[in-house]
Amino acid sequence: AQSVTQLDSQVPVFEEAPVELRCNYSSSVSVYLFWYVQYPNQGLQLLLKYLSGSTLVKSINGFEAEFNKSQTSFHLRKPSVHISDTAEYFCAVTGNDYKLSFGAGTTVTVRA
Amino acid sequence: DTEVTQTPKHLVMGMTNKKSLKCEQHMGHRAMYWYKQKAKKPPELMFVYSYEKLSINESVPSRFSPECPNSSLLNLHLHALQPEDSALYLCASSQDPGTGVGANVLTFGAGSRLTVL
């Protein structure tokens, strides 16, 4: 079984400042890792995924995350946030099965 | 087509009503999922269908009844719900996990927001 811990429940940040959302996981098997974003009153959108290969993965809108196996982490970063990045962010982990384990979520609020 | 479409977007029902939530995907995915999400919480898995057969039921009360009429459609039939069942219900789909690395990456729909009075 896998589990995920998101270390920050709320992250307030000013526009154009950097942000880091921390995610740690536990698993006894090889894992696939994800970051999903949920904007207010919407469903979940896949932001990033690590399946294999390069440990640094990037999204088209400036987010990146790095898989660190030794520290069992998959932290999400963005060097400069926008107001539109205000959302709930979920880290998730799965093995090669149907069950996706979510973290509790991190609320990012970007202020001008 | 890379979307999962859910209808209705909003549903208000009484505790004696019978209603259904619908989900459709045309990505050729053979696994489909229902999740329940309460406010400010992560989604919780309810059911998984694989190749149109119920594969996982996470001990969901029988007042929720899933149905998978074909590989593109997934329904959730609702009957005699309680106010605490009010939540966002999310449908998702993926390839079957056994078909390769990353096959089980989920694509979510926008959700159906259910209010039980």
Side-chain angles (χ1 to χ4, degrees):
Chain A
Q2 302 88 27
S3 66
V4 175
T5 302
Q6 289 185 242
L7 297 164
D8 310 288
S9 60
Q10 297 193 47
V11 174
V13 59
F14 286 106
E15 193 174 20
E16 297 184 6
V19 70
E20 179 181 71
L21 309 184
R22 296 177 293 168
C23 172
N24 286 94
Y25 71 92
S26 65
S27 175
S28 57
V29 298
S30 297
V31 295
Y32 306 136
L33 291 154
F34 309 90
W35 278 100
Y36 282 89
V37 58
Q38 186 171 33
Y39 299 104
N41 299 312
Q42 294 189 26
L44 274 71
Q45 298 176 28
L46 181 65
L47 186 61
L48 290 168
K49 62 185 177 189
Y50 170 77
L51 303 178
S52 65
S54 174
T55 57
L56 182 65
V57 291
K58 299 184 178 184
S59 73
I60 60 172
N61 57 353
F63 283 94
E64 64 179 37
E66 186 156 21
F67 170 58
N68 187 319
K69 189 174 182 179
S70 63
Q71 297 186 9
T72 60
S73 67
F74 190 56
H75 301 332
L76 180 70
R77 301 180 182 90
K78 188 171 185 180
S80 176
V81 295
H82 303 288
I83 296 289
S84 58
D85 293 322
T86 293
E88 189 79 14
Y89 292 80
F90 292 100
C91 183
V93 62
T94 185
N96 194 25
D97 57 31
Y98 296 107
K99 295 196 175 185
L100 187 63
S101 297
F102 287 93
T106 299
T107 303
V108 173
T109 304
V110 181
R111 297 188 174 96
Chain B
D1 187 352
T2 58
E3 287 187 346
V4 174
T5 304
Q6 290 187 242
T7 56
K9 293 193 186 311
H10 300 276
L11 178 62
V12 179
M13 61 186 292
M15 289 190 284
T16 59
N17 292 157
K18 287 185 180 180
K19 297 285 185 184
S20 297
L21 306 180
K22 298 185 183 301
C23 175
E24 188 169 5
Q25 58 88 14
H26 295 288
M27 294 177 282
H29 288 170
R30 301 312 299 269
M32 295 188 77
Y33 308 72
W34 280 115
Y35 281 84
K36 174 183 177 179
Q37 187 181 26
K38 301 286 274 186
K40 300 296 185 184
K41 297 291 186 183
E44 298 174 357
L45 182 64
M46 300 174 72
F47 302 104
V48 180
Y49 273 82
S50 175
Y51 293 92
E52 298 142 59
K53 294 192 186 310
L54 185 63
S55 179
I56 295 175
N57 177 342
E58 292 286 88
S59 302
V60 179
S62 60
R63 58 186 184 269
F64 295 91
S65 176
E67 178 195 21
C68 190
N70 60 54
S71 60
S72 299
L73 293 174
L74 185 66
N75 299 321
L76 186 63
H77 302 299
L78 314 171
H79 174 53
L81 295 193
Q82 303 297 311
E84 58 265 29
D85 297 321
S86 298
L88 181 67
Y89 287 84
L90 294 164
C91 176
S93 70
S94 76
Q95 297 173 32
D96 187 82
T99 56
V101 173
N104 59 342
V105 177
L106 297 184
T107 300
F108 283 88
S112 293
R113 187 165 299 282
L114 173 66
T115 302
V116 182
L117 301 177

